[in-house]
Amino acid sequence: MNELTELETAITLLSEGKVVGIPTETVYGLAANALDEHAVSEIFAIKNRPYFDPLIVHISETEEVKKYADSFPEKAKQLADAFWPGPLTLILPKNKIIPDIVTSGLAFVGLRVPNHPLTLKLLSKLPFPLAAPSANPFGYVSPTSAQHVKDQLGDRVPFVLDGGNCEVGLESTIVMFENDLPVVLRLGGLSIESIEACIGKVSINISSHSKPNSPGQLDKHYATRIPIKYNEEVDFTEIDASRVGAIVFDKALPLIPFENQEILSKNSSVSEAAKNLFAAMRRLDSLKLDLIVIEKFPEFGLGAAINDRLNRARG
Ligand code: TXA
Ligand code: MG
């Protein structure tokens, strides 16, 4: 199929209320018509996702915010102008067009204009927005290629629109507004430094609870099947190092076989490391290993979000 027929296939299926895998710059999403409760309930079923975990609604341009949100605080508008299309989700007061199932009954809806040419084209041709969580079984690592989606959900999803590998590789940064004051609920593909350069100081509330505001905050999330520990937590005299894997920033660790190691950025770029992180976690998780060790990444730029994901995968 060429790109045009693939797009037509996605449009047809989505218009029939079916669920389709879609590419974005952050991670692949599992999309359905956000205004169709039945279509949205299919997403929860396919992902095995609890209904208390609300979905992000994807729109084609900032202009569309007013169709789905009752208000648009000034700082939210500034962020949208600066970073949309891009890896940023804004939590805004929802209006009644958005079904409660999308927001888990919350009075707020997460909106985002994703930065991917195919998906922007798709959104502009559809007469409805797309609810889409990451296209992975609940709790597992998010997919950053169409193949990742097919590997895990291929038999449950009628079609995955292939838009290549995700350029950012981490889910969107989520920002909420409490009395117009910005609060970051999830670290992600847009750095805190970039946000603060635009609107000034923000507070960060990414602490985890068993029933959080933003379930990306769940303590154990983004997890591999193979357990993960920090390298310094491991006593290598007690274990078989040939059955250990590693996810590291820019150079390999001693003792662990080189072929079991994922060096995320040989040029020490945290953005490049972010792009490679989830594919690396998946590759190591497919090997016969007892343990994956990780190290702390630099805490600037996307490094902070990488540390957040690895820490939650560690549980
Ligand atoms: O980059 C992304 O955000 C990707 C792509 C596909 O757009 N989507 C994604 O969706 O990561 P998901 O469902 O895996 O994570 C969405 C997070 C959840 O933790 C959810 O709780 C939070 O967004 N969220 C969505 N709506 C919310 C709301 N109304 N209030 C608070 N948190 C919300
Ligand atoms: Mg997710």
Side-chain angles (χ1 to χ4, degrees):
M1 269 198 280
N2 65 28
E3 195 172 276
L4 203 64
T5 43
E6 295 215 355
L7 208 55
E8 291 300 331
T9 304
I11 290 169
T12 305
L13 290 166
L14 289 164
S15 302
E16 288 169 353
K18 303 259 168 45
V19 171
V20 166
I22 58 162
T24 84
E25 81 284 28
T26 58
V27 300
Y28 273 70
L30 204 55
N33 177 353
L35 309 183
D36 176 346
E37 278 180 53
H38 180 75
V40 171
S41 72
E42 277 295 300
I43 297 177
F44 284 91
I46 292 171
K47 266 194 77 120
N48 200 11
R49 181 181 178 108
Y51 281 103
F52 64 71
D53 191 355
L55 307 181
I56 294 171
V57 173
H58 298 72
I59 53 179
S60 66
E61 52 179 347
T62 306
E63 234 348 73
E64 289 201 288
V65 167
K66 59 174 181 282
K67 291 201 216 164
Y68 309 112
D70 275 341
S71 74
F72 200 4
E74 190 48 41
K75 286 194 170 172
K77 212 175 279 162
Q78 285 170 6
L79 288 176
D81 286 343
F83 301 115
W84 277 354
L88 166 72
T89 294
L90 297 172
I91 307 290
L92 301 173
K94 89 173 192 78
N95 68 21
K96 54 180 184 302
I97 299 174
I98 300 289
D100 285 334
I101 185 174
V102 172
T103 63
S104 304
L106 297 171
F108 296 87
V109 61
L111 294 174
R112 165 164 127 78
V113 181
N115 190 16
H116 191 288
L118 256 186
T119 293
L120 282 172
K121 211 179 277 176
L122 176 65
L123 285 166
S124 72
K125 288 180 187 251
L126 291 170
F128 48 78
L130 292 174
S134 53
N136 50 280
F138 185 70
Y140 197 70
V141 183
S142 296
T144 52
S145 72
Q147 193 57 49
H148 291 163
V149 183
K150 290 175 192 159
D151 288 346
Q152 286 188 305
L153 300 175
D155 52 343
R156 309 200 62 189
V157 181
F159 185 64
V160 181
L161 187 60
D162 192 340
N165 292 340
C166 300
E167 281 299 317
V168 174
L170 292 173
E171 301 85 350
S172 59
T173 302
I174 300 179
V175 185
M176 174 163 190
F177 299 85
E178 281 171 359
N179 304 319
D180 289 345
L181 293 176
V183 183
V184 172
L185 298 182
R186 179 174 76 180
L187 300 178
L190 180 64
S191 71
I192 298 296
E193 292 92 328
S194 303
I195 291 175
E196 291 190 332
C198 178
I199 56 166
K201 199 82 192 132
V202 295
S203 47
I204 299 178
N205 178 8
I206 55 167
S207 58
S208 37
H209 319 271
S210 59
K211 196 184 165 197
N213 268 335
S214 188
Q217 298 170 315
L218 283 172
D219 245 350
K220 179 91 176 166
H221 211 75
Y222 311 103
T224 48
R225 277 173 288 265
I226 298 169
I228 289 184
K229 283 189 178 161
Y230 285 111
N231 189 43
E232 65 263 24
E233 294 175 310
V234 178
D235 179 353
F236 281 89
T237 62
E238 308 240 294
I239 58 169
D240 175 1
S242 74
R243 293 188 51 100
V244 176
I247 296 174
V248 292
F249 183 33
D250 51 6
K251 46 184 161 323
L253 294 172
L255 306 175
I256 300 168
F258 190 73
E259 64 276 15
N260 294 357
Q261 302 207 41
E262 288 282 351
I263 301 169
L264 298 190
S265 174
K266 290 195 176 100
N267 344 304
S268 312
S269 150
V270 282
S271 302
E272 184 184 31
K275 181 175 172 172
N276 293 328
L277 176 65
F278 290 154
M281 289 170 76
R282 281 171 183 263
R283 186 185 79 88
L284 292 186
D285 208 24
S286 73
L287 303 180
K288 290 197 170 55
L289 301 174
D290 300 326
L291 179 68
I292 297 168
V293 299
I294 55 174
E295 60 181 11
K296 287 230 168 64
F297 283 65
E299 265 290 314
F300 59 80
L302 300 193
I306 294 174
N307 285 331
D308 173 84
R309 298 302 187 275
L310 285 172
N311 204 28
R312 288 176 206 275
R314 171 176 164 271

